[in-house]
Amino acid sequence: MAELRALVGVKRVIDYAVKIRVKPDKTGVVTDGVKHSMNPFCEIAVEEAVRLKEKKLVKEVIAVSCGPKQCQETLRTALAMGADRGIHVEVPESEAERLGPLQVSRVLTALAQKEKAGLVLLGKQAIDDDCNQTGQMTAAMLDWPQGTFASKLTLEGDKVTVEREIDGGLETIRLKLPAVVTADLRLNEPRYATLPNIMDYEAARALGGHESQPPSSPVCGPPAFACSSLPLYLQLVPIGTRTCFLSSSNHDFPS
Amino acid sequence: MAVAAWQGCARLSWWRVRPAALFASRRGYSTMPVDDTINGLNEEQKQMRQTVFRFLQQHLAPKAREIDQTNEFKDLREFWKQLGHLGVLGITVPAQYGGSGLGFLDHVVVMEEISRASASVGLSYGAHSNLCVNQLVRNGNETQKEKYLPKLISGEHIGALAMSEPSAGSDVVSMKLKAEKKGDYYILNGTKFWITNGPDADVLIVYAKTDMSAVPVSRGITAFIVEKGMPGFSTSQKLDKLGMRGSNTCELIFENCKVPVSNVLGHLNKGVYVLMSGLDLERLVLAGGPLGIMQAVLDHTIPYLHVREAFGQKIGHFQLMQGKMADMYTRLTTSRQYVYNVAKACDEGHHTPKDCAGVILYAAESATQVALDGIQCLGGNGYINDFPMGRFLRDAKLYEIGAGTSEIRRLVIGRAFNEAFK
């Protein structure tokens, strides 16, 4: 469908090749100064979205990341791989540790509706928490069908056929768009952002300068689901497009 | 019985070495992070390093050992096309010819990352992307650029440069390869030696003497573009080198080789200018090679020092080992700052032979020392080929010899000072 917009969630996690060390006070793992990169399953999701765009089945690929400002690096990688726009939902460092699948899925729900996305592509799980919940929760909140653990994705008209890797083997289901799909390992092999792509994007960034746009109204308020006790006040900061780049603006969080 | 006990002990101490060796060769080792903020790289260069690093650690680093052992890179052609796709083969070529249009600092960073994965492939890469491709860009006319650059940049063709001869290395200007004009062709007769990528190259830039009686002697040299299939051009078997094994090096043989007049690179008898100015940039970009080797040494040594135990603690906590880590790290970082800064200056058009020679002189000698320290840190394990430390030393040594020996580099710098006081 030439009108289809794909929303792809990307998470910034500790790089898979890093040797993880537990903090001396045993409250978590050391993240300071440790190499981070995009979650491998999220890379597969971005790659799938970009391939759909190249096949002209998807009009626009929008990458989203929730977290502190370093998430912009992850979004940059997504843009260099071929995403059209990146949205950084900025969460201050102090709160970022409490950010979990429930909060992220609420953000994705709001964004999917705001951006009128027809397809939400996520990685099946993140390699730091291995929750495997965000995709499923997002689908439930949006009340959209879901195809999780996808190892093959085919878009035909307003339906998407998903071949899922499940415990018993392979299952093929057909979903009516709009839908949520989460990517498993064998869906595709992600491309490396080529130098021309990286430079293209960064040069356009330098040329485009800063185009200021007032941040959209904060997504906040009482949780729709009583189980979360984390009040979430977020400013949506559109981070960039392939033709112009927006810097994240300074903003005050409502206390 | 005492003898038996001693023999048992000897066998035991051998055993203590082996498990560590197995451990190292099987696990995917995690590399040491590079602080690019201290290195002065901007955002795009940091991202570029990340991308290239990831690709190479996945596709090249696992093959490095085999390449060194067999003195052959089996998937060379396929890998070259992958590099072409990434955009690193034509890194300094303007976009209009399909290149990436980047600068020397970017080239140095990519050279460093490739050498970090496999120094021999890094050397081949440097010879292709700088010695051949960059020379074409700087000195070729439009026809030549349009004819040769596209395939060199995409990775379908491999490039090389030939100036040294069996009896003319440092004294390159005394080369004997003769080029005589006959109608629309130049007939080349003679040999070249020590040519990186020689066995595999499709396009070679060859320096030959067109005027044997020129005074001074350097005024008689012309640069030519030679293609693999040209009649009279052949290569002999590749050299069995101490290090940089896998970066194929051989002798080129010209027996009445016919090269069309249109393949003269630059101007007739002005080859020495092409050669000398090319040498400066060659030294700058190749200086990335020793940087990569030093980083690879650190990648392997620092984690090992924090795993290996002796006398009840990790050996990385002993002062002499801490001293070694400090020495290796500061040698690498100072070399890096020098190379990166000179590269930045060259990107801005400020280009001095003195510093181009200085960077590779310093980086190469530092790399040999760091590689030696690396072997020492690993002790017995550093001495066996299950670990790559030996390969790092053998590879590092080349950079004190190729691209102008350390002695020549010293001469260049000294003479530059002499010039200032003439």
Side-chain angles (χ1 to χ4, degrees):
Chain A
M1 249 199 209
E3 290 307 311
L4 189 61
R5 275 199 185 77
L7 189 75
V8 185
V10 296
K11 186 176 181 187
R12 179 177 178 264
V13 298
I14 296 181
D15 187 86
Y16 77 90
V18 166
K19 190 169 147 78
I20 309 287
R21 285 179 299 129
V22 177
K23 280 202 270 208
D25 59 7
K26 313 257 195 268
T27 55
V29 298
V30 177
T31 51
D32 266 343
V34 168
K35 179 149 162 253
H36 285 66
S37 53
M38 193 192 291
N39 182 36
F41 294 108
C42 297
E43 275 177 10
I44 298 176
V46 172
E47 173 66 19
E48 194 60 25
V50 172
R51 284 190 191 182
L52 287 173
K53 191 177 83 157
E54 285 169 351
K55 287 189 210 151
K56 308 241 191 303
L57 295 168
V58 156
K59 183 171 101 171
E60 196 186 13
V61 176
I62 308 163
V64 182
S65 192
C66 301
K69 74 165 161 37
Q70 294 97 320
C71 288
Q72 294 188 11
E73 287 163 19
T74 318
L75 279 169
R76 261 194 270 268
T77 311
L79 288 163
M81 280 172 79
D84 298 290
R85 274 197 291 137
I87 299 182
H88 174 209
V89 179
E90 191 159 354
V91 176
E93 195 109 29
S94 47
E95 314 251 328
E97 280 192 2
R98 293 195 286 154
L99 197 61
L102 185 57
Q103 292 77 24
V104 172
S105 44
R106 268 197 261 131
V107 169
L108 291 175
T109 305
L111 276 174
Q113 285 161 343
K114 180 170 182 288
E115 298 289 337
K116 300 201 185 24
L119 181 63
V120 173
L121 274 166
L122 306 169
K124 72 170 178 181
Q125 65 198 58
I127 60 170
D128 51 5
D129 55 18
D130 284 322
C131 280
N132 192 347
Q133 296 166 8
T134 311
Q136 292 85 335
M137 285 183 181
T138 312
M141 288 185 206
L142 283 166
D143 200 23
W144 287 2
Q146 56 180 272
T148 51
F149 315 113
S151 65
K152 199 153 150 218
L153 181 72
T154 326
L155 264 183
E156 287 144 354
D158 66 340
K159 302 251 192 336
V160 54
T161 307
V162 178
E163 197 177 85
R164 311 175 55 219
E165 287 192 13
I166 57 172
D167 291 341
L170 290 172
E171 181 191 50
T172 311
I173 56 174
R174 208 157 74 211
L175 314 168
K176 191 155 181 290
L177 289 174
V180 174
V181 175
T182 68
D184 207 327
L185 193 62
R186 280 158 281 275
L187 181 58
N188 60 48
E189 182 155 340
R191 66 192 61 190
Y192 294 93
T194 64
L195 256 53
N197 269 358
I198 299 176
M199 296 308 155
D200 229 4
Y201 160 67
E202 297 278 353
R205 163 155 80 114
L207 279 175
H210 298 301
E211 191 194 276
S212 58
Q213 228 184 65
S216 47
S217 57
V219 173
C220 65
F225 298 88
C227 37
S228 166
S229 58
L230 173 67
L232 215 50
Y233 299 100
L234 308 168
Q235 295 276 29
L236 294 182
V237 182
I239 185 176
T241 68
R242 288 197 75 79
T243 52
C244 75
F245 185 87
L246 207 83
S247 64
S248 63
S249 49
N250 286 326
H251 43 256
D252 297 313
F253 283 100
S255 53
Chain B
M1 196 168 110
V3 172
W6 176 82
Q7 279 175 339
C9 275
R11 234 172 291 143
L12 192 65
S13 57
W14 174 243
W15 242 105
R16 283 210 197 103
V17 172
R18 298 246 93 219
L22 289 170
F23 163 66
S25 49
R26 267 196 218 140
R27 76 182 162 112
Y29 74 97
S30 62
T31 52
M32 296 298 293
V34 178
D35 188 341
D36 273 334
T37 314
I38 294 204
N39 292 335
L41 294 188
N42 62 29
E43 281 306 323
E44 51 193 68
Q45 286 158 339
K46 285 184 195 175
Q47 172 137 41
M48 180 184 65
R49 188 204 281 280
Q50 277 311 312
T51 308
V52 171
F53 167 73
R54 278 184 53 206
F55 170 76
L56 291 164
Q57 290 301 318
Q58 202 161 342
H59 289 92
L60 182 57
K63 300 182 191 163
R65 187 169 165 216
E66 193 198 332
I67 294 174
D68 179 70
Q69 281 178 329
T70 56
N71 195 15
E72 191 186 348
F73 187 6
K74 284 198 200 71
D75 304 318
L76 175 67
R77 292 272 167 186
E78 190 49 49
F79 183 73
W80 231 243
K81 292 204 188 90
Q82 287 175 312
L83 284 182
H85 182 74
L86 264 183
V88 299
L89 290 180
I91 206 169
T92 44
V93 180
Q96 69 187 99
Y97 304 107
S100 305
L102 299 173
F104 290 109
L105 179 52
D106 308 287
H107 203 171
V108 168
V109 172
V110 174
M111 178 73 189
E112 184 186 331
E113 285 300 329
I114 301 185
S115 298
R116 184 183 185 179
S118 165
S120 48
V121 176
L123 186 65
S124 285
Y125 165 77
H128 171 105
S129 59
N130 177 272
L131 273 62
C132 183
V133 171
N134 200 37
Q135 282 290 55
L136 270 170
V137 167
R138 293 180 74 236
N139 299 291
N141 57 37
E142 281 308 309
T143 327
Q144 290 166 338
K145 285 194 238 194
E146 270 159 33
K147 181 172 180 196
Y148 293 108
L149 284 179
K151 289 218 169 109
L152 283 169
I153 294 171
S154 72
E156 279 169 75
H157 278 178
I158 297 183
L161 179 117
M163 56 169 87
S164 303
E165 293 184 4
S167 50
S170 294
D171 188 9
V172 69
V173 147
S174 74
M175 63 175 77
K176 292 204 178 64
L177 176 68
K178 221 165 33 170
E180 287 165 321
K181 187 150 194 278
K182 283 217 171 91
D184 282 334
Y185 289 92
Y186 277 93
I187 310 294
L188 268 61
N189 270 298
T191 58
K192 289 292 187 193
F193 206 51
W194 310 116
I195 308 308
T196 303
N197 293 343
D200 312 291
D202 305 284
V203 176
L204 304 97
I205 299 184
V206 179
Y207 292 93
K209 277 271 175 68
T210 34
D211 185 355
M212 299 301 275
S213 55
V215 173
V217 166
S218 58
R219 293 254 173 92
I221 298 177
T222 309
F224 293 92
I225 305 175
V226 175
E227 289 174 53
K228 195 174 189 174
M230 279 179 179
F233 170 62
S234 61
T235 62
S236 67
Q237 85 261 34
K238 60 184 180 195
L239 302 174
D240 178 17
K241 307 191 296 290
L242 169 69
M244 295 302 188
R245 294 170 65 77
S247 170
N248 297 330
T249 318
C250 74
E251 181 179 15
L252 305 181
I253 301 166
F254 298 89
E255 279 174 313
N256 296 321
C257 175
K258 279 168 77 171
V259 179
V261 167
S262 55
N263 274 23
V264 169
L265 187 67
H267 301 288
L268 186 65
N269 292 331
K270 298 277 168 66
V272 73
Y273 301 107
V274 173
L275 194 157
M276 290 302 175
S277 63
L279 268 176
D280 291 333
L281 295 169
E282 168 190 345
R283 285 174 186 148
L284 173 65
V285 171
L286 286 186
L291 294 182
I293 297 176
M294 284 192 269
Q295 182 65 49
V297 171
L298 282 173
D299 287 344
H300 283 83
T301 311
I302 315 281
Y304 179 90
L305 290 174
H306 293 91
V307 164
R308 177 81 181 177
E309 285 188 21
F311 304 108
Q313 56 174 299
K314 306 270 190 283
I315 62 175
H317 292 271
F318 293 128
Q319 285 184 329
L320 290 173
M321 286 298 123
Q322 289 170 334
K324 282 240 165 20
M325 287 194 281
D327 287 338
M328 289 194 291
Y329 178 68
T330 46
R331 280 207 176 94
L332 166 57
T333 313
T334 45
S335 304
R336 248 200 200 122
Q337 305 324 308
Y338 192 13
V339 178
Y340 285 13
N341 273 300
V342 175
K344 253 186 234 164
C346 283
D347 282 337
E348 285 160 25
H350 182 80
H351 179 153
T352 52
K354 186 171 76 187
D355 287 292
C356 291
V359 294
I360 194 170
L361 170 66
Y362 192 74
E365 292 189 343
S366 301
T368 310
Q369 191 53 56
V370 168
L372 281 169
D373 280 344
I375 295 179
Q376 190 67 19
C377 285
L378 264 73
N381 279 336
Y383 207 63
I384 53 179
N385 285 326
D386 289 29
F387 285 80
M389 314 314 293
R391 164 164 60 94
F392 295 146
L393 176 63
R394 288 184 284 112
D395 290 341
K397 188 61 185 163
L398 168 87
Y399 281 112
E400 291 185 51
I401 301 170
T405 56
S406 290
E407 288 75 20
I408 290 290
R409 296 166 196 166
R410 289 192 160 89
L411 285 184
V412 168
I413 300 174
R415 283 178 188 169
F417 281 112
N418 292 151
E419 275 297 310
F421 281 84
K422 254 216 186 112

